Amino acid sequence: METTRLEAFSDGVFAIAITLLILEIKVPPPGTALGAELLGLWPSYLAYVVSFLVIGAIWINHHAMFKHIVRVDGMLLRLNVLHLMLIAFLPFPTAVLAEAFHRGTDEPIAAAFYGGILTVIGIFVNAMWRYAARGNRLISTHLTATKIRKINRHFLIGPSVYAIATVVALVVPWLALLIFVLLNVFYLWPRWGHESAPSRIGDPTVSSDRSEND
């Protein structure tokens, strides 16, 4: 089958997850010093910005990936569902991270928990791409072997750096958060040539009978 329904469903999950992030930021209670209370919410603002960048970067690269993946089968659908399950879960570790910094306790555990989830998300991104690209199973024929290897390396950066940052978080949580931000600023601009991918219109691989439905 073609990728249209998978992409539409994925976009919906990304949109809901990124919207839920703001719900963690609570309005200060009445009768308090509003200015001080708003300033005191800085951990929530920080966690919100980090997770917004994370989800935004993952969505951009998901879109870029499906410039090259032109058909799906049952296994890719399942991998994508597991990937989206973790995306939808991300507001929870975001809230845990913000609360830990609010209290000033357990920041290393909260940051490592957050980093661990990002690491698993990165693993599923790699699993999706490598499954689709193996033997040109589900990708467009315009991709060369050199380009596929380049994309493989690009995607491998994510879980590798996230795993390192997760370990760093147990010692210096602030540094881990900085690594999360910098990595996702990097991923906001995919560097593996999806902009030059040809249109799917007229691509014979889109309607190929080689697609596997299960």
Side-chain angles (χ1 to χ4, degrees):
M1 66 184 75
E2 296 183 13
T3 65
T4 307
R5 293 188 66 188
L6 179 149
E7 292 181 79
F9 178 69
S10 300
D11 285 348
V13 174
F14 278 114
I16 292 170
I18 209 167
T19 302
L20 289 176
L21 295 175
I22 194 61
L23 298 182
E24 193 278 326
I25 304 179
K26 307 301 182 184
V27 176
T32 58
L34 183 60
E37 289 291 327
L38 290 174
L39 289 175
L41 288 173
W42 67 264
S44 294
Y45 304 147
L46 176 62
Y48 171 79
V49 169
V50 173
S51 288
F52 200 99
L53 288 175
V54 167
I55 296 177
I58 295 172
W59 174 76
I60 288 172
N61 282 272
H62 190 274
H63 171 70
M65 187 195 310
F66 279 88
K67 285 280 189 176
H68 297 307
I69 298 175
V70 294
R71 54 191 177 273
V72 301
D73 63 7
M75 179 57 71
L76 187 65
L77 287 173
R78 295 181 189 102
L79 289 171
N80 191 63
V81 165
L82 293 174
H83 173 242
L84 294 177
M85 177 182 69
L86 293 165
I87 295 296
F89 182 72
L90 196 56
F92 175 66
T94 301
V96 170
L97 185 67
E99 182 63 24
F101 278 94
H102 272 299
R103 295 195 315 265
T105 59
D106 297 322
E107 295 100 326
I109 296 174
F113 175 57
Y114 186 85
I117 298 300
L118 297 185
T119 302
V120 179
I121 289 175
I123 290 172
F124 273 106
V125 170
N126 276 267
M128 290 168 58
W129 169 253
R130 289 172 186 273
Y131 174 78
R134 185 176 182 182
N136 290 67
R137 179 186 281 121
L138 302 172
I139 61 177
S140 176
T141 55
H142 80 274
L143 277 179
T144 64
T146 300
K147 178 61 70 65
I148 292 173
R149 287 194 296 270
K150 181 179 179 181
I151 298 173
N152 288 345
R153 291 193 298 269
H154 177 88
F155 276 136
L156 194 59
I157 293 171
S160 301
V161 175
Y162 281 140
I164 293 170
T166 299
V167 175
V168 170
L170 294 172
V171 182
V172 189
W174 279 105
L175 180 57
L177 290 182
L178 179 60
I179 295 173
F180 297 151
V181 171
L182 293 178
L183 178 61
N184 283 281
V185 168
F186 168 81
Y187 272 122
L188 284 175
W189 288 273
R191 291 163 172 80
W192 39 283
H194 74 278
E195 296 89 350
S196 61
S199 170
R200 296 184 185 184
I201 299 175
D203 187 338
T205 62
V206 174
S207 57
S208 172
D209 291 331
R210 290 180 293 157
S211 61
E212 303 170 42
N213 291 322
D214 200 355

